[in-house]
Amino acid sequence: MITKTIQIEDLVEDYPFAVLFLKEKGIRCIMCGEPIWGTLEEACKEKDFSDEKIEELINELNKLANK
């Protein structure tokens, strides 16, 4: 299960589809080789996502992961 405390490195490794999903949401340019450190929540906060928006994003990721 994906949570807000998942490390970006683990998210990308365990759920490769997340790279494109996050790019579409404006969260860093993972595909361009920019290194990412920290948690999913920290990456979202850097883009000024509200707590509600972070929860929505995590729910969407988990739905995609369960398909």
Side-chain angles (χ1 to χ4, degrees):
M1 181 169 177
I2 300 168
T3 67
K4 65 183 179 182
T5 59
I6 192 169
Q7 294 292 313
I8 293 291
E9 183 179 353
D10 294 334
L11 176 66
V12 170
E13 185 176 319
D14 296 342
Y15 306 96
F17 71 87
V19 174
L20 183 57
F21 178 85
L22 293 176
K23 182 179 179 225
E24 290 172 353
K25 300 294 182 182
I27 299 177
R28 300 205 187 175
C29 188
I30 299 170
M31 295 173 77
C32 296
E34 179 181 331
I36 295 188
W37 312 110
T39 66
L40 178 56
E41 180 180 37
E42 291 167 340
C44 290
K45 291 286 185 178
E46 286 179 13
K47 295 296 182 180
D48 296 322
F49 282 35
S50 67
D51 290 337
E52 294 80 22
K53 185 149 176 125
I54 293 170
E55 284 298 318
E56 288 175 20
L57 182 132
I58 291 168
N59 288 336
E60 287 181 59
L61 280 169
N62 278 307
K63 284 180 186 173
L64 291 170
N66 289 321
K67 284 188 175 181

